[in-house]
Amino acid sequence: MQMKTGVEQSVYAILILNMLPDKAVLPGEAISQQLGASPTYFQKLLRKLVSANLITSVPGVKGGFKLRKKAEDIRIYDIYLAIEGQQSLYSSSGVMHGMLDLEEEGCCLLTDLMQEAESSWQTVLKRQTIASLYEEINVGYQPKVQLLQQWIKEKMVM
Amino acid sequence: MQMKTGVEQSVYAILILNMLPDKAVLPGEAISQQLGASPTYFQKLLRKLVSANLITSVPGVKGGFKLRKKAEDIRIYDIYLAIEGQQSLYSSSGVMHGMLDLEEEGCCLLTDLMQEAESSWQTVLKRQTIASLYEEINVGYQPKVQLLQQWIKEKMVM
DNA sequence: ATAAAGTGGATAATTATTATCCGCGTTATA
DNA sequence: TATAACGCGGATAATAATTATCCACTTTAT
Ligand code: FES
Ligand code: FES
C-alpha cells in the first residue's frame, strides 16, 4: 500500500508550472527532464492533470502546459485525486457477508471505520495548496528557487 | 493505492478468534474456509499476526490459533500494521532533491504533509478495537452471530 | 507409528504500476 | 504550403507488488 510516485512528480510539476509567467507554457519533455521522470510515462500523468482541470495543454509548435487554476485553488488532495483516482483506500471484499451470511450490503463496519480514517487523511491534504507549498519552499530554499526560475525562463515558450 | 485484502480478512479472522472459548483453538484451515480465503495464502497472513503478537499458534494434532491479547487491546491499527508493515503510505523519491539540487535530505515538504495526513488516518484506526467492533456487530446482527458461534463450537478443538 | 496441525522457503500466477512506441491532430513559422 | 515541434490516445511491453500454491519439515495428541 504505497502511493504512486506519480503523485510526487505531479506535485512538483505543478509547482514548476506555478513559477511560469502568465501566458507562457512549458513543454512536457522539459518538465519530465527537470524531475528526472520517464518522459513518455510522465506525459500520461500530465494528461490526468489536464483531465482533472488542474492544468491546460497547448498543442502545436509553441505548445506545452500551464496552470489552469490559481495556485491557491489547487489543493494537494486535488493532485492526489487526479493521479490516483477516486477509489477509496479500503474496499471491502464482502468477507463479513460470507461470514454472517447476509443478503443485503451497506453493512460492513470496517468500511465505515476505514472511510472515517480516510476522510481524516483527506482533510490534511485539503488544507495545503500549491500556493502554501510554494510559499514554504520559497522561504526555505530561496537561492535554489532562483536557479529554478532561471531554468524556467530558458525552457518556457510564449 | 489499495489496502491489501489481507487486512480485511485478518480483522474478521481475529473477530472469530475472539468468539472462541478460553483455552480453545481454531485450525487455520477452518478459519480460511469461513472467510472464503485461499487456505495457503491465508496461513501466511496468520503467520504475520503471530509475529505481531496478536495471536498465538499451537502446533500438533489439536493445534490451531487463538488470541494472544485481550480484544480491548487489539486495535484495528495493530492488525493493519501486522499485515501491511510499518512503511508509510507515502515515500518520497527525492524529486525535490534533483529539482532544487539539494545535497542533504530531511527536507521534503511533501513528506511532512503526507506524514501528518497519515498520522491523522492512524488515529482513527487506533480508536477502534476488536472489542468495540465485536460489540457493534453483536448488537447489529445478533441472530447471525449466534450461528457463527455455533459453527465455532463445531470447529474448535481444546 | 501415525495423522493433524503449524513453519519456512521456493516458486508460480495474477494484478498493478511504470514505461515505450507509433500514428495522428494541431499550430507557429520558414 | 510544407515542415517541425508539440500534445493525444491506443496498443503494448517491462517491471514490481500481491496473491496463491507446493513441499519438506517440526510439533504433538492419540
Ligand atoms: S461485508 Fe463489507 S459491506 Fe457487507
Ligand atoms: S526531496 Fe523529499 S526528502 Fe528531499
Side-chain angles (χ1 to χ4, degrees), chain A residues 1 4 8 12 15 25-26 32 42 53 60 65 74 89 91 106 109 115 117 124 133 140 147 149 157:
Chain A
M1 195 194 190
K4 299 186 200 175
E8 182 180 5
Y12 287 111
L15 224 29
V25 118
L26 202 52
S32 70
F42 186 68
N53 288 324
F65 298 88
I74 302 181
L89 267 40
S91 84
L109 300 168
Q115 192 51 55
V124 175
L133 199 57
L147 292 177
Q149 277 283 8
V157 294

Coordinates of all heavy atoms in Angstrom, one line a residue, chain A residues 1 4 8 12 15 25-26 32 42 53 60 65 74 89 91 106 109 115 117 124 133 140 147 149 157:
Chain A
M1 N 0.8 -1.2 0.0 CA 0.0 0.0 0.0 C 0.9 1.2 0.0 O 1.2 1.8 1.0 CB -0.9 0.0 1.3 CG -2.0 1.0 1.2 SD -2.7 1.3 2.8 CE -4.2 2.2 2.3
K4 N 1.4 6.1 -5.4 CA 2.2 6.1 -6.7 C 3.2 7.3 -6.7 O 2.9 8.4 -6.2 CB 1.2 6.3 -7.9 CG 0.2 5.2 -8.0 CD -0.6 5.4 -9.3 CE -1.9 4.6 -9.2 NZ -2.8 4.8 -10.4
E8 N 3.9 12.4 -6.4 CA 5.0 13.3 -6.0 C 5.5 14.1 -7.2 O 5.6 15.3 -7.2 CB 6.2 12.5 -5.5 CG 7.4 13.4 -5.1 CD 8.5 12.5 -4.5 OE1 8.4 11.3 -4.5 OE2 9.5 13.1 -4.1
Y12 N 5.3 18.4 -7.8 CA 6.5 19.2 -8.2 C 6.3 19.8 -9.6 O 6.7 20.9 -9.8 CB 7.8 18.5 -8.0 CG 8.1 18.3 -6.5 CD1 8.0 17.0 -5.9 CD2 8.4 19.4 -5.7 CE1 8.3 16.9 -4.6 CE2 8.7 19.3 -4.4 CZ 8.6 18.0 -3.8 OH 8.9 17.9 -2.5
L15 N 4.1 22.7 -9.2 CA 4.9 23.7 -8.5 C 5.8 24.5 -9.5 O 5.9 25.7 -9.5 CB 5.8 23.0 -7.5 CG 5.9 23.6 -6.1 CD1 4.7 24.3 -5.6 CD2 6.3 22.5 -5.1
V25 N 4.2 28.9 -21.4 CA 3.9 27.5 -21.4 C 5.2 26.7 -21.4 O 6.2 27.2 -21.8 CB 3.1 27.3 -22.7 CG1 3.7 26.3 -23.7 CG2 1.7 26.8 -22.4
L26 N 5.1 25.5 -20.8 CA 6.3 24.7 -20.7 C 6.1 23.3 -21.3 O 5.1 22.7 -21.0 CB 6.7 24.6 -19.2 CG 8.1 24.3 -18.8 CD1 9.1 25.2 -19.4 CD2 8.2 24.3 -17.3
S32 N 9.6 16.8 -17.5 CA 10.0 15.5 -17.1 C 11.5 15.4 -16.9 O 12.0 14.7 -16.1 CB 9.5 14.4 -18.1 OG 10.3 14.6 -19.3
F42 N 5.5 10.2 -18.1 CA 5.2 11.4 -17.5 C 4.1 12.2 -18.3 O 3.2 12.9 -17.7 CB 6.4 12.3 -17.3 CG 6.2 13.6 -16.5 CD1 5.8 13.5 -15.1 CD2 6.2 14.8 -17.1 CE1 5.6 14.6 -14.4 CE2 6.0 15.9 -16.4 CZ 5.6 15.9 -15.0
N53 N -8.6 19.1 -14.9 CA -8.7 20.6 -15.0 C -7.8 21.3 -14.1 O -8.0 22.5 -13.7 CB -10.2 21.0 -14.6 CG -11.1 20.7 -15.7 OD1 -10.8 20.7 -16.9 ND2 -12.3 20.3 -15.3
G60 N 0.8 22.0 -30.7 CA 1.5 22.7 -31.8 C 2.9 23.2 -31.4 O 3.3 22.9 -30.3
F65 N 2.4 23.1 -21.4 CA 1.4 23.1 -20.4 C 1.6 24.3 -19.5 O 2.6 24.9 -19.4 CB 1.6 21.8 -19.5 CG 1.4 20.5 -20.3 CD1 2.5 19.9 -20.9 CD2 0.2 19.9 -20.3 CE1 2.3 18.7 -21.6 CE2 0.0 18.7 -21.0 CZ 1.1 18.1 -21.7
I74 N -5.5 25.1 -6.0 CA -5.0 23.7 -6.2 C -4.6 23.1 -4.9 O -3.5 23.4 -4.4 CB -3.9 23.6 -7.3 CG1 -4.4 24.3 -8.6 CG2 -3.5 22.2 -7.5 CD1 -3.3 24.2 -9.7
L89 N -9.2 4.2 -0.3 CA -8.0 3.4 0.1 C -8.4 1.9 0.5 O -7.7 1.0 0.2 CB -7.3 4.0 1.4 CG -6.2 5.0 1.1 CD1 -6.5 5.9 -0.1 CD2 -5.9 5.8 2.4
S91 N -11.3 -1.1 0.2 CA -12.6 -1.5 -0.4 C -12.9 -2.9 0.1 O -12.1 -3.8 -0.1 CB -12.6 -1.4 -1.9 OG -12.0 -2.5 -2.5
G106 N -24.3 -2.7 2.4 CA -24.4 -1.5 3.1 C -24.1 -1.7 4.6 O -24.6 -0.9 5.5
L109 N -18.9 -2.9 8.8 CA -18.5 -2.0 9.9 C -17.1 -1.5 9.6 O -16.8 -0.3 9.9 CB -18.5 -2.8 11.2 CG -19.9 -3.3 11.6 CD1 -19.8 -4.2 12.7 CD2 -20.8 -2.1 11.9
Q115 N -13.5 4.5 6.1 CA -14.0 5.7 5.5 C -13.7 6.9 6.3 O -13.3 7.9 5.8 CB -15.4 5.6 5.1 CG -15.9 6.6 4.1 CD -15.0 6.7 2.9 OE1 -14.8 5.7 2.2 NE2 -14.4 7.9 2.7
A117 N -11.4 7.1 8.6 CA -10.0 7.3 8.7 C -9.5 8.1 7.4 O -8.7 9.0 7.4 CB -9.2 6.0 8.8
V124 N -6.3 16.6 5.8 CA -5.0 17.2 5.9 C -4.5 17.6 4.5 O -4.0 18.7 4.3 CB -4.0 16.2 6.5 CG1 -2.6 16.8 6.5 CG2 -4.4 15.9 8.0
L133 N 2.4 25.6 -0.4 CA 3.6 24.8 -0.5 C 4.8 25.6 -1.2 O 5.9 25.5 -0.8 CB 3.3 23.6 -1.4 CG 4.3 22.4 -1.3 CD1 4.4 21.9 0.1 CD2 3.8 21.2 -2.2
G140 N 12.4 28.6 2.4 CA 13.4 27.6 2.8 C 14.6 27.5 1.9 O 15.7 27.3 2.4
L147 N 17.6 29.7 -9.1 CA 18.1 28.9 -10.2 C 17.0 28.2 -11.0 O 17.1 28.2 -12.2 CB 19.1 27.9 -9.6 CG 20.4 28.4 -9.0 CD1 21.2 27.3 -8.5 CD2 21.2 29.2 -10.1
Q149 N 14.0 29.2 -11.3 CA 13.4 30.3 -12.1 C 14.1 30.6 -13.4 O 13.6 30.7 -14.4 CB 13.3 31.6 -11.2 CG 12.2 31.7 -10.2 CD 10.8 32.0 -10.9 OE1 10.7 32.1 -12.2 NE2 9.8 32.3 -10.1
V157 N 8.2 28.7 -23.4 CA 7.8 29.4 -24.7 C 6.6 30.2 -24.5 O 5.7 29.9 -23.7 CB 7.7 28.3 -25.8 CG1 9.0 27.6 -26.1 CG2 6.6 27.4 -25.5

